[in-house]
Amino acid sequence: MANKKNVGYSPEDFKKSYGKYYDETIVELAPQVQYALENTPFPAGALPTFSEARYLEEEGYTDLETGYTNEPDGSIHAAIVTAMPGITPEMWDWWFGWHGSQDSRYKLWHPKSHVSAVWKDGKDDISYIGRNSVIEEYIVDEFVEGLIQFKQPTEFGFSFDAIKDPSKAVYICARIGHSKYPIDYGYLVHQVRAVEGGSEMRSRFWMGGKYIHIRREGILPNLASSYIQKMNLLSADFGRKIVIHCSEEMTHLAAFLPKLYAEMNQTIEKLNVEGRIIERTDEDFETVVMGSLFNKIDPGKRPIKVVEAKSVQDIIETIKYAKSHGKKLTVCSGGHSFGANHLRDNSILIMMKNFNQFEVNTNEMTATTGPGVGGSVLMLELFKHNLYTAIPFDGAY
């Protein structure tokens, strides 16, 4: 490893709270991976294109779950399936948000290949969808400076029904590009689905050829993209290297991910609040979510749960829970946001409708209201005292 840039662990790494999970031993490739490598590349067209990625929603398996193909346009398609006993899809959902802010965390994943990972926005909160990860790593022996642009699964064509229950399946989706040049050259999807005894990860890569695009809009970038797509930017055996690398890193981390996850998330196991909690699996989940929209225009995004808080303590407990699980928080008062800003994927929505108390002080000509008080309700009360407010008011503000 001496000839590799910053690969391996330093004495400072072992001082981390998770330092005990560092292990430089990479286990032997699984039998199905070895078989695939002995028989690849498979015939062109044996793996679906990126535009057909939604096939991963189907139950069962395809004819080709591990291997790669070299396509006529110069692109490669790769598939890798990794068995993960004792793993839940939620663990991987957490991992992708947690590991990306520090090199020492990224190196847990693959000690002989991973060099560096930071979020482009410079923050260290536990989330990944909608963020860009700047990475440095080796794909076997090729050094890569990548920009992993995590996307909503729905942007890749996956249905809401497929992603609504993270205990059953999680889809990690990203555009792959260069971190120093405005060039994107591929896509990746990791589907982690629950199976008996744990989970399995079905990884898919589409890279090079028609998947290359200049990361800018306009006629000239489009022309440049068309030209670059015809160049063979990937090495002849890059597909083989992707299969090896993906299998190694996923298997390596899966060996200790349950213990790491339990240690990092042991603060709050259950959200305990006085108000009602509406889960995605509840029959009226859609009714509650759509009922929060004043204009009834569906933005196509959904929180993982809704909390109808009844007290300040409920809000505090929800914040603690969201933080410990790496989830974003959104708040809805009147729901008059035209852009439905309170509806976000992978978030927890706090509904403020129960904070509907108000008090009018006629002597001081002031009013104190909770965020759940509608403007019309307050105005009617003010009129009774010959008062009014010139400031547009609604619980949404």
Side-chain angles (χ1 to χ4, degrees), residues 203-225:
S203 301
R204 300 293 185 268
F205 296 86
W206 300 267
M207 303 179 72
K210 64 183 178 183
Y211 303 112
I212 299 174
H213 198 276
I214 301 297
R215 203 181 303 135
R216 290 173 182 167
E217 299 297 329
I219 297 176
L220 290 179
N222 289 339
L223 289 174
S225 296

Side-chain angles (χ1 to χ4, degrees), residues 189-209:
V189 172
H190 299 300
Q191 181 209 43
V192 186
R193 64 182 182 184
V195 296
E196 185 176 356
S199 297
E200 62 183 2
M201 176 179 283
R202 301 167 75 205
S203 301
R204 300 293 185 268
F205 296 86
W206 300 267
M207 303 179 72

